[in-house]
Amino acid sequence: MPYTVDFTTVSTAGLESSPVADALAGLRANEARYFKNKYDHVFTVEPAGSAQPTVDWVHRILDAERGIVISSSPLEATGFQVENIRIAYVFYKSGLSINVMYTLDEAGKRAVGFKLSDGMEVPAELGSFKFARQKSKLAGTIRGSYFVIKNEY
């Protein structure tokens, strides 16, 4: 069942099994606020099992581009399009959030972003990435990194 993420009243609904549920909920709300403000898009998520094609697409890109396999289990995911950009998010039990921003134009920008919730360690599979810090009123300190997608998906 889809859940509309409210960024004015942050809820851990759907994320309760995460050891950093409050921080992950803040991170999810931070993303919802960004898409509402930038694209007037209402950010909805659903249980990862109900969004399996989105989870599979993200995992296929990670594996094909960098040989990355995420060890944490996905809790929620969403996939949508704004303007000419296909976007996917997967939120993991560990507190990790992965997003893919894939411009549909031939020479468009395409990247995978990683965000770590406040209080979680850097997962071993992402140990080679350098993470920048960003403050968020909703999520505390967010650590983020990314890589550019080179192939077509």
Side-chain angles (χ1 to χ4, degrees):
M1 185 165 124
Y3 169 74
T4 300
V5 179
D6 181 354
F7 54 86
T8 55
T9 306
V10 178
S11 169
T12 60
L15 306 174
E16 299 90 352
S17 65
S18 172
V20 291
D22 289 337
L24 184 56
L27 177 57
R28 180 179 66 181
N30 188 66
E31 301 304 306
R33 181 179 59 197
Y34 170 81
F35 282 100
K36 182 64 176 168
N37 290 341
K38 180 149 176 100
Y39 299 105
D40 198 29
H41 173 79
V42 176
F43 197 85
T44 60
V45 293
E46 55 188 331
S50 300
Q52 200 60 52
T54 298
V55 173
D56 291 345
W57 186 63
V58 170
H59 287 176
R60 188 170 88 241
I61 292 170
L62 290 171
D63 188 34
E65 292 283 324
R66 296 291 180 101
I68 296 171
V69 177
I70 302 300
S71 61
S72 184
S73 56
L75 296 177
E76 291 184 333
T78 185
F80 55 93
Q81 184 173 328
V82 291
E83 297 175 0
N84 66 333
I85 307 168
R86 180 178 176 192
I87 297 169
Y89 272 84
V90 181
F91 296 93
Y92 295 86
K93 184 174 184 174
S94 64
L96 172 67
S97 168
I98 297 178
N99 68 73
V100 172
M101 296 184 90
Y102 192 91
T103 303
L104 299 174
D105 299 336
E106 284 268 336
K109 294 179 181 179
R110 298 170 177 166
V112 173
F114 305 105
K115 291 186 179 169
L116 308 177
S117 294
D118 213 358
M120 74 170 285
E121 297 295 322
V122 176
E125 58 269 33
L126 302 180
S128 65
F129 289 88
K130 295 201 183 300
F131 287 85
R133 293 181 184 273
Q134 165 190 344
K135 288 282 190 184
S136 164
K137 289 180 184 175
L138 294 171
T141 300
I142 300 170
R143 290 164 292 156
S145 192
Y146 75 98
F147 69 84
V148 174
I149 297 172
K150 295 186 177 13
N151 298 304
E152 302 270 326
Y153 298 93

